Amino acid sequence: MIRIVKMTFRAEHCDDFLAHFNSIKEKIIAMPGCNSLRLHRDLENPNIFFTYSSWEEDSALQNYRKSELFLKTWSIVKAWFSERPDAWSVDTIFDASC
């Protein structure tokens, strides 16, 4: 399963978010059941970021969301949001590389 999270930050906190993400990304990838993690930035609005993470199953994602790592990270970054984040859990129907 794929977890997509859209986060919109106040401009003055984009660099803070990037620094924090870089400091924890390896810890997220090391979480049991995490297969991959990607961070994207919107080309037209550089205050908008998307995380795409792949999980073996929903229970692995839920365990991460209950972890100390997630709770601590979320308590830090949520103060930097300019809008409420959106999140989706999706299954891949088709995947091809060009």
Side-chain angles (χ1 to χ4, degrees):
M1 69 166 279
I2 305 295
R3 181 69 167 185
I4 305 166
V5 180
K6 175 187 175 190
M7 299 168 287
T8 306
F9 293 95
R10 294 192 304 277
E12 66 270 21
H13 289 295
C14 289
D15 288 341
D16 296 328
F17 169 69
L18 287 170
H20 186 70
F21 182 84
N22 283 327
S23 75
I24 63 163
K25 63 187 177 188
E26 298 299 328
K27 294 176 184 175
I28 296 171
I29 293 167
M31 293 295 295
C34 182
N35 296 324
S36 66
L37 175 64
R38 299 184 324 194
L39 178 66
H40 299 273
R41 191 175 207 171
D42 190 282
L43 292 173
E44 294 183 16
N45 184 341
N47 296 357
I48 298 176
F49 294 84
F50 298 87
T51 57
Y52 283 68
S53 54
S54 172
W55 298 87
E56 289 177 11
E57 57 193 7
D58 184 60
S59 62
L61 170 63
Q62 297 311 319
N63 288 336
Y64 164 65
R65 293 183 68 215
K66 295 174 188 172
S67 72
E68 182 179 336
L69 173 62
F70 177 84
L71 296 173
K72 183 177 179 183
T73 296
W74 200 249
S75 70
I76 293 168
V77 301
K78 71 180 178 182
W80 301 335
F81 293 140
S82 65
E83 296 179 15
R84 184 180 182 275
D86 288 314
W88 302 269
S89 293
V90 299
D91 284 327
T92 301
I93 303 300
F94 175 79
D95 185 5
S97 297
C98 297

